[in-house]
Amino acid sequence: MISNPLRDPRDRRLPRVPEPCALVVFGITGDLARKKLLPAVYDLANRGLLPTNFALLGFARRDWGDTEFADLAREAARKHARTPWREEVWQRLATSVRFVQGSFDDDDAFDELAGALAELEGSHGIGGNAAFYLSIPPAMFPTVLKQMQRTGMAESTSDRWRRVVVEKPFGTDLPSSRALNELVDSVFGADDVFRIDHYLGKETVQNLMALRFANTLFEPVWNGHHVDSVQITMAEDVGIGGRAGFYEETGAARDVLQNHLLQLLALTAMEEPVEFSAEQIRIEKLKVLRAISLPDDLRTFAVRGQYEQGWLAGERALGYHQEEGVDPRSTTETFAAVRLGVETRRWAGVPFYLRTGKRLPRRVTEIALVFKRAPHLPFADTDTEELGNNQLVVRVQPDEGVTLKFGSKVPGSVMEVRDVSMDFLYGEQFTEASPEAYERLLLDVLLGDATLFPRNAEVEASWAVIDPLEEFWAGTEPDPYRAGEWGPRSADEMLAAEKRQWRRP
């Protein structure tokens, strides 16, 4: 009998649909749930990627019934959905929406939630499978996890799976991270814990692996023999908004450097995995994270800053101390930059410059490989005055794509070589829009695919890099920079000390 090759389960072009299951969201009334999770659920349903037997349960303190919750969910999904709105899709989804009211320390509420799950098993045929999304402050994790353990909701068996999704931050330092990991792993099995870093769900980040390992063009020069330095930037043009309570306790290094940027560094620097599986990719990333070295001179090569009042996009922007809820004497950083090394054969001697900040001129995340200059240029100095280093830039957001910057002769009767760029834009090359990060990651949770989720060993290795920086910065004042500038002057001096400069995104 001839088999259809399109039905090969290894064929990743086939859309994958999870088994019958439920998604339980704790903190369903929060911003994350309303702006990201509920729209992602609708978009997955609209694309036919949710199982027919699917249920959505919300848990929060609000005194709502199922109908009121369904109305809120509909409004949030319609307002923030990526795909076109189809009322019939939502109506099918709405028949499987439930809400349980209660506080996290309320035993009766959790008993009711466990009962609702059991009831859905019969009424909606979810097969006992459920994923629990903790869209709640990290301080509440122990209470919720212990309640789930008490009610038996966390237990996977041979005929059902139970998974938990944990949002960052994964602790505030290495000891607290280990304590949190031990707690989560004591309630759920290690394979059932999904630590979500939404940057890893972005299409361009996943394309980084395709760019490197599916092409022979780039991998031969993706090393210290050809690369002068690597710059990874995550810039935001917004301030802290209404998150002063969170940000005062966290700061830019813990909020972004520890997770997003170190994960991007690991994907950029890792070796080729032996297969495209969660375990093999994780092994290679972990090797990189454990090979990261901090500079000896932290005073020069570890910079933090704090934005002051300035102008951004033609409007006056408040300084950090003027933001609502911020201590006027706060020393919390809103900008962090550091020079790291990766002590492997491939990257020995290549500096990795990481920076992140708020109230910078524009919102952009990119990974830039800056190549060494040609060893011999048979041109006069005047011919190449405007020629810089070749660069390969992976733009994660916005304008997702790849830019290759190289030298070309300027047309005319004289010899002049100048930088030019070749651009690949996702939006122009492909007709299908990229799914939102949470859309992809939620689907992977329901499928049990952990490829894009860091495990606790990666989290702990990242804290081992950040903790010495936090210890060095403790008790120091961050360097000021005006809103609308690319960070403090000391960040430019950091690269100038090694005769380099930041790429201007």
Side-chain angles (χ1 to χ4, degrees):
M1 182 176 178
I2 299 175
S3 62
N4 184 347
L6 292 180
R7 297 197 180 277
D8 186 336
R10 296 170 300 175
D11 192 336
R12 292 175 177 270
R13 295 170 298 175
L14 288 172
R16 301 173 296 166
V17 178
E19 300 173 281
C21 60
L23 175 65
V24 182
V25 181
F26 292 99
I28 193 74
T29 56
D31 274 1
L32 176 66
R34 287 186 291 107
K35 294 179 180 177
K36 297 294 183 182
L37 303 183
L38 290 170
V41 169
Y42 166 79
D43 288 330
L44 288 171
N46 205 15
R47 294 167 60 202
L49 295 178
L50 288 182
T52 305
N53 298 345
F54 174 81
L56 174 67
L57 275 79
F59 187 98
R61 292 180 180 179
R62 300 284 182 91
D63 186 13
W64 286 341
D66 291 342
T67 305
E68 290 170 296
F69 170 60
D71 289 343
L72 171 129
R74 179 185 182 279
E75 182 183 347
R78 181 163 191 167
K79 184 176 181 181
H80 300 287
R82 177 184 66 88
T83 56
W85 184 259
R86 293 194 294 164
E87 191 64 34
E88 64 274 18
V89 171
W90 179 257
Q91 290 306 322
R92 283 199 303 273
L93 203 53
T95 60
S96 305
V97 168
R98 297 286 184 273
F99 180 78
V100 175
Q101 185 267 335
S103 59
F104 298 139
D105 57 0
D106 184 347
D107 288 358
D108 292 340
F110 273 83
D111 291 339
E112 183 183 345
L113 180 62
L117 265 180
E119 183 184 321
L120 285 167
E121 196 169 338
S123 63
H124 286 69
I126 63 170
N129 301 321
F132 301 90
Y133 200 114
L134 303 187
S135 178
I136 57 177
M140 301 307 300
F141 285 177
T143 304
V144 171
L145 288 166
K146 286 170 184 173
Q147 287 280 24
M148 294 172 69
Q149 188 175 40
R150 180 186 65 80
T151 55
M153 285 191 290
E155 293 177 16
S156 294
T157 64
S158 58
D159 58 352
R160 78 174 196 194
W161 52 258
R162 295 290 165 94
R163 298 171 186 142
V164 65
V165 184
V166 182
E167 271 279 348
K168 73 172 187 72
F170 312 118
T172 56
D173 54 19
L174 183 54
S176 64
S177 170
R178 282 179 173 156
L180 176 61
N181 285 332
E182 287 171 8
L183 173 65
V184 176
D185 289 349
S186 70
V187 178
F188 287 84
D191 290 339
D192 298 325
V193 180
F194 290 74
R195 294 165 181 82
I196 195 164
D197 183 339
H198 71 271
Y199 259 67
L200 300 186
K202 292 183 179 293
E203 198 73 40
T204 333
V205 173
Q206 297 161 53
N207 189 47
L208 185 59
M209 286 186 278
L211 186 77
R212 288 188 59 188
F213 305 130
N215 299 291
T216 56
L217 179 62
F218 303 114
E219 190 63 11
V221 296
W222 204 280
N223 54 58
H225 294 299
H226 303 279
V227 175
D228 172 75
S229 61
V230 179
Q231 297 184 16
I232 304 177
T233 296
M234 179 184 161
E236 297 180 272
D237 54 3
V238 297
I240 60 166
R243 302 169 69 217
F246 165 79
Y247 212 82
E248 279 284 83
E249 294 292 324
T250 308
R254 289 190 178 103
D255 185 33
V256 175
L257 207 60
Q258 182 272 333
N259 39 75
H260 300 332
L261 293 193
L262 286 183
Q263 282 289 321
L264 293 181
L265 182 152
L267 287 168
T268 303
M270 69 186 231
E271 297 297 323
E272 183 175 358
V274 295
E275 65 179 12
F276 197 82
S277 68
E279 185 60 29
Q280 294 304 320
I281 291 172
R282 189 178 300 123
I283 286 170
E284 298 305 332
K285 284 164 59 186
L286 190 55
K287 287 179 185 176
V288 172
L289 292 170
R290 288 176 172 167
I292 290 175
S293 63
L294 287 163
D296 294 329
D297 182 7
L298 287 176
R299 189 171 300 280
T300 301
F301 295 109
V303 171
R304 66 186 196 129
Q306 188 183 83
Y307 63 81
E308 295 182 330
Q309 183 174 283
W311 291 88
L312 194 61
E315 296 184 4
R316 182 171 290 280
L318 294 175
Y320 181 70
H321 286 163
Q322 286 80 53
E323 299 278 12
E324 186 178 349
V326 171
D327 183 344
R329 298 179 302 279
S330 172
T331 59
T332 301
E333 78 278 358
T334 62
F335 177 97
V338 63
R339 177 203 194 276
L340 300 175
V342 177
E343 304 306 323
T344 62
R345 182 179 289 259
R346 180 185 290 266
W347 295 111
V350 177
F352 282 71
Y353 298 108
L354 277 58
R355 65 173 169 172
T356 181
K358 290 189 177 292
R359 292 291 188 204
L360 301 184
R362 61 186 293 249
R363 170 178 169 265
V364 62
T365 301
E366 66 173 34
I367 303 162
L369 273 72
V370 181
F371 291 91
K372 294 179 178 178
R373 286 183 175 268
H376 169 65
L377 290 173
F379 304 104
D381 290 345
T382 53
D383 298 345
T384 57
E385 270 184 0
E386 299 194 33
L387 178 65
N389 295 58
N390 296 160
Q391 297 177 9
L392 179 64
V393 183
V394 178
R395 293 189 306 280
V396 177
Q397 69 174 15
D399 306 324
E400 293 88 346
V402 180
T403 294
L404 182 62
K405 182 179 171 185
F406 57 94
S408 176
K409 179 186 177 298
V410 178
S413 57
V414 297
M415 173 55 73
E416 182 183 1
V417 183
R418 187 183 299 172
D419 287 329
V420 295
S421 295
M422 287 174 54
D423 274 337
F424 151 62
L425 291 168
Y426 265 89
E428 292 181 0
Q429 190 68 30
F430 299 107
T431 55
E432 183 177 349
S434 298
E436 282 288 329
Y438 280 96
E439 205 176 322
R440 168 67 190 270
L441 294 173
L442 270 184
L443 180 61
D444 281 356
V445 170
L446 299 182
L447 289 164
D449 184 345
T451 304
L452 301 177
F453 296 83
R455 282 285 166 89
N456 54 7
E458 292 176 62
V459 174
E460 291 176 12
S462 298
W463 279 120
V465 175
I466 299 301
D467 280 359
L469 292 176
E470 292 289 354
E471 186 179 341
F472 171 74
W473 285 330
T476 64
E477 295 281 338
D479 297 330
Y481 66 96
R482 287 184 183 175
E485 294 180 344
W486 284 103
R489 183 177 299 174
S490 51
D492 294 326
E493 292 169 351
M494 180 174 87
L495 268 71
E498 297 184 315
K499 298 183 178 175
R500 296 185 178 95
Q501 61 185 9
W502 288 108
R503 168 186 152 79
R504 187 59 54 90

